[in-house]
Amino acid sequence: MKHFRRCVRSFLLLLLCVSVLIPIIFVTIKLKHLSPIGRKEFVEDLSAIKYRTDAALRLNAIEQEAREDLKGPKEVIYEDRVVNYSSNEDSGTQESENDGDITDLLESNETNHEREEAQQFHQREISLMTGEKEQSHLTTVERDHNAHSQYRRMIDKKIKEVKDGHSNQTRVWPDHSLRSQSYKVTDVNITKMKDLMIRAKVYLNFAPPDSKSRLVKDLKQRIREVGRALSQATKDSRLSESSVQKLEKMEATLSKASLVYPDCSAMVSKLRAMTQNTEELVRAQKNQAAYLVRLAGRTTPKGLHCLSMRLTAEYFALQPEERQLPNQQKFQDAELYHYAVFSDNVLACAVVVNSTISAAMESEKIVFHVVADSLNFPAISMWFLLNPPGKATIQIQSIDDFEWLSTKYNITLKKQSSSDPRYGSELNHLRFYLPDVFPALDKIVLLDHDVVVQGDLTELWSVNMKGKVNGAVETCNESEALLRRMDMLINFSDPLVAKSFNVNACTWAFGMNLFDLQEWRKKNLNSVYHKYLQLGNERSLWQAGSLPLGWITFYNQTMALDRRWHVLGLGYDSAVRRADIEQAAVIHYDGVTKPWLDIAIRRYKGYWTKYVKYDHPYLQQCNIQE
């Protein structure tokens, strides 16, 4: 019996030894697959091994290897752009050359993802150690392991494809959101040729100016060959076989150059200098382009100038009695719907009048008052004599007819200084004297000449103004691109302005405004306008233009209209929603790119051109086309 017990005890001890030795042997085998650094830190943290799966061990090893082996530069120059991302180095001070190779970027991206996976895995395992159920722990580990394995296979496949030259990618940014998505970038050879051209130019700058070495000659030749190939093709599909061979030759030459010039810091410095020079050049060209756009917005196209000259000649060929427009008795009838347009553009006035009448249900009740400068008055008058506005009534006036304006206010207006003469013109500021221009009227709708009326405006006349003078659409909605603040155009650092106005007051837009002329006269807003106009000449209170003066003159005197009455931004914002345009009563091409200019935004131009009579003989003679 004692012998039997002794045998059982020996057997149990043997099993115990086996159960201890097998885990040690298993761990030893695993340690052979890790790097020396990874093995060292792995052994130091041996107490946590029982809580880690095989996937976690591999992730930890990859993280340690990345810290020592994958030492990327702080900045990568790629497609003439500088891409900043965090280095995995502990010191963070070394910079190395990166030629934009896609494989390096893929591997860097992969390491970033794996590090994040390891950190998230470690956080989850700590929470599991504090009391989560074992089944939940196993499920989470298994799911993370599967996801990581799937991502590893996808990355390995992409790296292999790039190394074999069959990938369609040009670059991969370290974006963790792309972990489960496939990369889709085209024209890899074109992009690569551009990058290699940049590298070749950098290496060429390292050589002495008078150098005649074989490498310098090869670099110059490769630059010419690749540049010629790029000038002949913009897509990979258009590259010839010889162009691909030139790309391979360029790569071989750059490999030789990297051996001759191994200084990575010099390469980085040179690329940074090239980037800075390119950015300065782009900035200068953008400023020049912006200036040219502003200049184009202030000039009159050749076709419009031709049209104005022809109409002016025809006007002065008429007898004085033939220049009179019909229905003059309606000009002062306060029971009708009166619209005012101040313009020096024949075609713009025609569109405003035509679109308003086309959308009106009762066009016979419409009276248009067009005020032009003395130079364009004959042309605009002749146009409407030749093209009467149907049942509506139209009155054409010259700004010279208002003698009180030239004698009383002209001196103040001429003091307005601006690079754009339109801002200080009498025609632009005439809107602040509407009660004087139309003394017999009670209400009037002011339309800018760069608007198109798409809906019937009859209901606008029944809007309850609640004692306000100006009815306009507000532009103070922070959720929209058309946001305007008082301090954008008005100088609130001036004590008088800061004391008199609230910087957070809601702003509004000119372009389609309903004015109660009776309330205007009662509150004597002309004197308010004239007061601040004179103060603005003495010190800087606002930017040039009539809008900031309008905000001041009609401060607390503006009634907000429904936004569907007036949609703005078609002259500068290419992102105005089509749904907003379609349902708007008035669309406004405010900005520089007017619809009658070649620089107009094409997607909006059709709303304007459909009201232009391009088959008119004068338009055809002046070559005015859509």
Side-chain angles (χ1 to χ4, degrees), residues 352-366:
V352 175
V353 174
N354 292 344
S355 61
T356 305
I357 295 173
S358 299
M361 300 296 293
E362 300 176 305
S363 59
E364 66 277 4
K365 293 185 178 181
I366 292 179

Side-chain angles (χ1 to χ4, degrees), residues 19 58 89 175 181 197 206 257 316 336 342 368 497 589:
S19 63
R58 287 199 300 272
E89 299 172 353
D175 186 357
Q181 300 177 3
M197 283 276 289
F206 287 158
F316 285 111
L336 301 178
F342 303 149
F368 265 99
V497 173
Y589 294 84

Side-chain angles (χ1 to χ4, degrees), residues 446-608:
L446 178 66
L447 298 172
D448 279 359
H449 72 168
D450 55 354
V451 306
V452 173
V453 179
Q454 300 185 133
D456 187 9
L457 301 182
T458 303
E459 294 183 7
L460 192 63
W461 298 88
S462 60
V463 171
N464 184 5
M465 297 288 285
K466 299 179 181 180
K468 304 292 185 180
V469 176
N470 175 30
V473 169
E474 294 179 337
T475 57
C476 56
N477 191 344
E478 295 185 358
S479 63
E480 297 185 4
L482 299 175
L483 169 67
R484 299 288 184 273
R485 285 175 51 89
M486 291 280 284
D487 56 356
M488 290 179 65
L489 301 178
I490 300 176
N491 180 18
F492 273 83
S493 63
D494 188 278
L496 176 63
V497 173
K499 179 181 178 181
S500 303
F501 306 100
N502 180 8
V503 67
N504 296 318
C506 203
T507 58
W508 46 270
F510 273 129
M512 199 278 309
N513 303 82
L514 173 64
F515 289 106
D516 188 331
L517 301 181
Q518 288 182 322
E519 289 292 331
W520 189 330
R521 298 183 186 100
K522 186 186 302 182
K523 296 175 181 178
N524 196 19
L525 294 185
N526 278 29
S527 62
V528 175
Y529 161 78
H530 198 245
K531 168 189 172 183
Y532 284 100
L533 182 63
Q534 289 180 324
L535 288 174
N537 291 326
E538 298 171 2
R539 57 182 187 267
S540 177
L541 295 182
W542 55 78
Q543 294 185 19
S546 59
L547 184 57
L549 273 171
W551 291 348
I552 291 176
T553 303
F554 301 105
Y555 183 73
N556 288 334
Q557 297 296 329
T558 300
M559 173 69 187
L561 299 178
D562 190 286
R563 303 187 65 81
R564 290 174 296 180
W565 281 112
H566 186 194
V567 168
L568 301 107
L570 277 71
Y572 65 89
D573 184 8
S574 60
V576 180
R577 296 191 307 169
R578 186 171 298 275
D580 293 339
I581 297 175
E582 297 291 346
Q583 68 179 0
V586 176
I587 57 175
H588 192 180
Y589 294 84
D590 55 319
V592 180
T593 56
K594 302 301 183 184
W596 54 84
L597 299 175
D598 291 335
I599 60 174
I601 301 176
R602 289 294 173 183
R603 60 180 302 213
Y604 305 142
K605 194 168 183 177
Y607 297 104
W608 188 83

Side-chain angles (χ1 to χ4, degrees), residues 201-231:
K201 291 178 180 178
V202 173
Y203 281 128
L204 196 59
N205 278 276
F206 287 158
D210 55 347
S211 176
K212 296 182 180 181
S213 66
R214 178 67 180 176
L215 178 60
V216 171
K217 293 180 180 178
D218 288 346
L219 285 173
K220 291 180 178 179
Q221 182 178 356
R222 301 294 174 253
I223 290 174
R224 287 194 298 269
E225 292 176 351
V226 175
R228 192 178 302 112
L230 287 174
S231 65

Side-chain angles (χ1 to χ4, degrees), residues 327-500:
N327 300 324
Q328 296 188 16
Q329 71 279 3
K330 294 184 178 181
F331 293 169
Q332 311 297 330
D333 190 347
E335 299 297 325
L336 301 178
Y337 305 137
H338 293 265
Y339 299 89
V341 181
F342 303 149
S343 176
D344 57 358
N345 189 313
V346 177
L347 217 54
C349 286
V351 170
V352 175
V353 174
N354 292 344
S355 61
T356 305
I357 295 173
S358 299
M361 300 296 293
E362 300 176 305
S363 59
E364 66 277 4
K365 293 185 178 181
I366 292 179
V367 180
F368 265 99
H369 303 271
V370 178
V371 181
D373 58 2
S374 57
L375 180 63
N376 292 279
F377 168 76
I380 295 177
S381 299
M382 190 63 200
W383 176 266
F384 287 107
L385 286 171
L386 295 174
N387 306 276
K391 297 180 181 180
T393 302
I394 189 165
Q395 178 189 23
I396 313 297
Q397 294 177 280
S398 172
I399 199 169
D400 291 343
D401 296 338
F402 310 118
E403 296 180 359
W404 47 267
L405 180 66
S406 59
T407 56
K408 187 174 182 180
Y409 303 112
N410 199 33
I411 297 177
T412 306
L413 288 173
K414 285 185 176 179
K415 293 181 181 179
Q416 293 289 304
S417 59
S418 172
S419 58
D420 192 338
R422 295 174 299 176
Y423 290 149
S425 69
E426 296 178 357
L427 205 59
N428 188 44
H429 285 259
L430 188 63
R431 66 187 66 196
F432 294 104
Y433 308 117
L434 288 175
D436 299 327
V437 176
F438 307 107
L441 301 182
D442 298 331
K443 282 186 177 182
I444 196 167
V445 171
L446 178 66
L447 298 172
D448 279 359
H449 72 168
D450 55 354
V451 306
V452 173
V453 179
Q454 300 185 133
D456 187 9
L457 301 182
T458 303
E459 294 183 7
L460 192 63
W461 298 88
S462 60
V463 171
N464 184 5
M465 297 288 285
K466 299 179 181 180
K468 304 292 185 180
V469 176
N470 175 30
V473 169
E474 294 179 337
T475 57
C476 56
N477 191 344
E478 295 185 358
S479 63
E480 297 185 4
L482 299 175
L483 169 67
R484 299 288 184 273
R485 285 175 51 89
M486 291 280 284
D487 56 356
M488 290 179 65
L489 301 178
I490 300 176
N491 180 18
F492 273 83
S493 63
D494 188 278
L496 176 63
V497 173
K499 179 181 178 181
S500 303

Side-chain angles (χ1 to χ4, degrees), residues 102 106 158 162 167-172 183-186 188:
I102 181 63
L106 278 169
K158 291 296 179 183
V162 173
S167 174
N168 288 329
Q169 293 177 290
T170 57
R171 52 183 157 176
V172 175
Y183 301 94
K184 186 179 180 181
V185 184
T186 57
V188 59

